[in-house]
Amino acid sequence: MPPRQIAQRVLFEDAESAPLPQLPRDLQAQLLQQMVQWMQAVAVTINEEARDEQDYC
């Protein structure tokens, strides 16, 4: 394994995990809704790009 991959593995696998912050439930719900909207927008963009690529083949 190249040295860079070894360093990355050590960085992520051997690091102690920090405690996750606890967000209020209303904020969690709002962030979840925004994440879903963002994922839907990304999916639409990916599908449009796939259709564009098919047009050129």
Side-chain angles (χ1 to χ4, degrees), residues 27-49:
L27 183 57
Q28 287 180 11
Q30 181 182 1
L31 291 173
L32 180 61
Q33 183 180 11
Q34 290 177 354
M35 184 177 65
V36 168
Q37 291 173 348
W38 175 79
M39 291 173 70
Q40 289 171 337
V42 169
V44 166
T45 302
I46 289 171
N47 288 335
E48 288 174 353
E49 289 177 357

Side-chain angles (χ1 to χ4, degrees), residues 1-39:
M1 187 177 297
R4 181 176 179 187
Q5 290 178 341
I6 293 172
Q8 288 175 340
R9 173 175 271 167
V10 169
L11 176 66
F12 290 103
E13 291 181 358
D14 293 345
E16 291 183 23
S17 61
L20 296 175
Q22 295 297 319
L23 301 174
R25 289 226 182 254
D26 59 334
L27 183 57
Q28 287 180 11
Q30 181 182 1
L31 291 173
L32 180 61
Q33 183 180 11
Q34 290 177 354
M35 184 177 65
V36 168
Q37 291 173 348
W38 175 79
M39 291 173 70

